[in-house]
């Protein structure tokens, strides 16, 4: 039962000026100091009805007949407010959650006209350095948005692109060629992608005293593009090291892709496309033989698609990759999860694709920077927090906290909980921020069992399980719903009812932080309920009703955490 939709239908009997769908979009949640569940702003009707909004709201209050599910309709200023009957709501929502279990809120593809096929590309690393904290944010956004969209009946394909060629790759290669002494990662007991990254940092250190290194790197790039055997052998060896390290990191983060692409495999196809569309208007070859997309008429800077010397750029391969992904997945929508420093680039890319005849929807899921307490990360100077290091740090912080709290746990259980709680700490801390916003990451704060953290939500789940374990009463829906009448019970029930709506909004706006906010709010309402209401009671009927309420809350918490990529624990 979508009460918001039902209210829109109810209003539509008296509002003919706009469609029920438009009415539903206008209905909103009132401020917390207004004791109603939904509000309909009537401003839009004032002009056509030739009345003040206040009078229109009063007229509607008088005309509307309350259905069973509404306990109160009240005009307050220019808003018409609705209160859902808590008994009807409790019976409906708790029955729905208990019966559907972990499928609550999930939309079945047969219930919608046509599921969308969506390709989500992330994290697209360069193979000249290990994954860092920024990549972790990228991965968590990509995974959680994929989970959310899949839960509401879209067909999702998660793909990754390895940027494995270009000047930045040649810088690592050149440094290794000059100063690597043919060493291998195992010779220094260094993870393979970290070993490659060490030479990227070394190149930039040496560049300070030898500016000719940039030209040498350019020369190496030309050799690579001309298939020089020695250059290609070095490139293949170092790329394999980088890829091997990435696979280990992805495994720690639970990342799996439907398809992996490599820039080195596709850049030539991009060149072919560009060279066949030169028309002297939208795509022009200039005096130095570079090919440029003329985008001034679209309020965008012109974009070089191919350098004058014939070497490619990121956009060269991205043009073909859009075509290749269409061939592989026949997508309706293509989402690129990339940081906000590339905002202009993606506007240019999407306009170029449009000019090339692409009609599919293209989305740049832009996200902000992650800072350290020390400031901005700088890959060239080695001032980054590598993904592996931060995963290890939160694991150790979690382990320390567990060992302090539970002295009798065996090593295997400590290991399991440390991994699950550490991942929860890292994921929730990063995902709780609006993707578009910058933030500073503090590992110690993320691991707290209190406050707005992942371990806190996990603890709320485990506490519910602890209460359930203390009773032998079987939980079912054969209860007296009218017993759930305390204010905190009613608030908790309405929170549970809101879950599918929040889920849909989080998915369709690509904002997993809305799910984080919802879970925190739900957990806080549950704690308010605990303060006022005792679950295990001598009054067996009341106990059964409250056990059902907390069990349904537990189910919703698990669904929400899983959508964020977080596992639950029945004991912390």
């Amino acid at each position: 039962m979508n009460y918001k939709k039902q209210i829109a239908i109810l209003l539509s009997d008296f509002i003919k000026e706009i469609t029920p769908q438009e009415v539903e979009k206008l209905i909103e949640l009132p401020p917390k100091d207004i004791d109603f569940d939904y509000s309909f702003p009537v401003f839009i009707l004032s002009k056509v009805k030739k009345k003040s909004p206040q009078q229109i709201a009063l007229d509607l209050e008088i005309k509307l007949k309350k259905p069973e599910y509404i306990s109160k309709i009240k005009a307050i200023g220019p808003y018409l407010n609705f209160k859902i009957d808590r008994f009807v709501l409790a019976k409906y929502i708790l029955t729905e959650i208990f019966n559907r279990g972990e499928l609550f809120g999930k939309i079945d593809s047969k219930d919608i006209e046509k599921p969308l096929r969506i390709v989500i590309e992330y994290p697209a690393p360069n193979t000249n350095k290990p994954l860092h904290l920024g990549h972790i944010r990228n991965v968590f956004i990509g995974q959680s948005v994929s989970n959310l969209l899949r839960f509401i009946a879209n067909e999702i394909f998660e793909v990754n692109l390895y940027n494995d060629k270009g000047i930045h790759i040649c810088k690592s290669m050149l440094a290794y060629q000059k100063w690597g002494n043919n060493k291998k990662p195992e010779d220094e007991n260094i993870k393979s992608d970290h070993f490659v990254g060490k030479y990227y940092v070394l190149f930039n250190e040496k560049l300070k005293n030898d500016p000719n290194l940039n030209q040498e790197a350019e020369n190496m790039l030309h050799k690579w593009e001309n298939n020089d055997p020695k250059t290609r052998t070095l490139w293949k060896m170092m790329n394999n090291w980088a890829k091997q390290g990435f696979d280990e990191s992805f495994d720690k983060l639970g990342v799996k892709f439907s398809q992996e692409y490599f820039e080195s495999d596709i850049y030539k196809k991009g060149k072919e496309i560009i060279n066949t569309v030169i028309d002297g208007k939208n795509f022009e070859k200039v005096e130095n033989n570079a090919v440029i997309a003329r985008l001034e008429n679209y309020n965008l800077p012109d974009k070089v698609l191919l350098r004058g010397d014939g070497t490619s750029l990121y956009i060269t391969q991205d043009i073909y990759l859009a075509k290749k992904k269409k061939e592989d997945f026949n997508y309706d929508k293509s989402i690129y999860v990339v940081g906000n420093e590339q905002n202009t680039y993606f506007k240019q890319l999407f306009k170029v694709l449009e000019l090339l005849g692409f009609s599919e929807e293209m989305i740049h899921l832009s996200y902000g920077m992650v800072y350290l307490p020390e400031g901005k990360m700088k890959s060239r100077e080695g001032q980054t927090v590598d993904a592996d290091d931060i995963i290890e740090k939160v694991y150790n912080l979690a382990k320390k906290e567990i060992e302090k709290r539970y002295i009798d746990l065996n090593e295997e259980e400590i290991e399991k909980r440390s991994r699950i709680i550490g991942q929860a700490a890292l994921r929730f801390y990063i995902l709780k921020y609006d993707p578009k916003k910058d933030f500073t990451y503090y590992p110690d704060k993320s691991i707290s069992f209190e406050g707005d953290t992942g371990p806190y939500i996990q603890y709320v789940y485990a506490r519910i399980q602890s209460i359930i374990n203390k009773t032998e009463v079987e939980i079912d829906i054969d209860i007296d719903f009218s017993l759930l009448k305390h204010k905190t019970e009613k608030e908790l029930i309405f929170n549970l009812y809101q879950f599918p709506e929040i889920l849909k909004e989080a998915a369709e706006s690509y904002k997993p932080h809305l799910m984080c906010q919802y879970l925190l709010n739900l957990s806080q309402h549950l704690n308010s309920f605990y303060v006022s209401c005792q679950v295990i009671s001598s009054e067996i009927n009341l106990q059964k009703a409250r056990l059902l309420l907390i069990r349904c809350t537990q189910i919703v918490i698990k669904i929400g955490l899983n959508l964020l990529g977080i596992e639950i624990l029945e004991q912390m």
Side-chain angles (χ1 to χ4, degrees), residues 87-105:
F87 170 73
V88 174
L89 181 60
K91 185 175 182 179
Y92 160 68
I93 202 64
L94 298 183
T95 301
E96 180 78 1
I97 296 171
F98 189 78
N99 286 340
R100 296 203 67 194
E102 290 174 34
L103 296 178
F104 174 65

Side-chain angles (χ1 to χ4, degrees), residues 145-198:
V145 168
S146 296
N147 292 341
L148 288 162
L149 286 170
R150 192 177 285 118
F151 208 72
I152 61 168
N154 296 289
E155 204 168 348
I156 304 301
F157 306 95
E158 296 165 76
V159 305
N160 185 24
L161 166 68
Y162 291 96
N163 294 295
D164 63 343
K165 64 166 287 292
I167 190 66
H168 47 292
I169 307 299
C170 289
K171 288 177 180 179
S172 298
M173 291 164 56
L174 183 64
Y176 179 79
Q177 187 180 71
K178 284 178 170 291
W179 302 292
N181 299 314
N182 294 317
K183 288 182 179 179
K184 297 180 179 179
E186 55 266 30
D187 296 332
E188 298 185 8
N189 196 29
I190 297 177
K191 187 166 173 279
S192 56
D193 53 335
H194 291 244
F195 184 78
V196 173
K198 183 177 85 166

